[in-house]
Amino acid sequence: MRSAPIGVFDSGMGGLSVLRALRAAMPHERLIYYGDNENAPYGTRTPQEICALSLQAAQLLMQKGVKALVVACNTATSAAEATLRARLNVPVVGIEPDFIAAREAAGEKKIVVFATRATLSLPRYREARLRLCPEAISISAPELVLMVERGVVAGPEPEAFFREKLAPWRDEIGAIVLGCTHFAFLRAPLHAVAPGVPLIDSIDRLTRSLRNVLTDINALAEDGAGGVELYSSARDPAVLARMHELLGENFP
């Protein structure tokens, strides 16, 4: 059980930010990543479509004998995590916006959430926002997902987007929540537009949750070199090349 791999999937490139964190935190684990780039973005699809695509991705990873499944996509977590947990016989760990950390970081200032349209419209997000942070400003940002899918993670294009969307609040912003794993790759342009504003994602929290789950079932790998395998539903070799670029030259 300990030597079995961990499956990680996302609608495309975004979950690579999670993969990178998992590799750093659990170097002995074998990680298999599946990006459904052919069907990206999930955030513009219906909940039924997202659930069906998530189940398809999960089954592909289950066929590789994974001991746990990481849903490295906020949209897929919101639409399909409950279904995946009901249908799979391995632990499922998802990711969702961290309102509690954002509220602590923002103090009396405003909280802005960037996420996909689907994430913002699904009950899971709406209920969590109402319960934990009803004053949060929600901004749908499908354009950012497409930028990352194209490999555009810096420069004038993302900076112009952030500048326009954040302009109404300017110096009133106390924290920005990255409600999509794609957006973790856009920290540099966001810092350029909103210097000093804390950027909140849930990747570290997901990593801790996965470690705890594996420890509880005595499945955490404690030795060995580990490793990473990358797969994509897209047949274009340029997609895998962009995956490696986003992971960085020093990624093991």
Side-chain angles (χ1 to χ4, degrees), residues 11-12 14 25 33 38 89 102 111 122 160 185 192 198 209 232 236-237 251:
S11 64
Y33 182 85
E38 186 69 20
N89 61 356
I111 294 169
L122 284 163
F185 290 110
S209 295
S232 171
D236 185 354
F251 185 78

Side-chain angles (χ1 to χ4, degrees), residues 155-176:
E157 188 177 355
E159 287 186 20
F161 178 90
F162 286 128
R163 191 172 293 109
E164 177 188 352
K165 296 297 182 181
L166 296 175
W169 302 282
R170 297 184 182 179
D171 298 329
E172 302 175 58
I173 302 170
I176 297 173

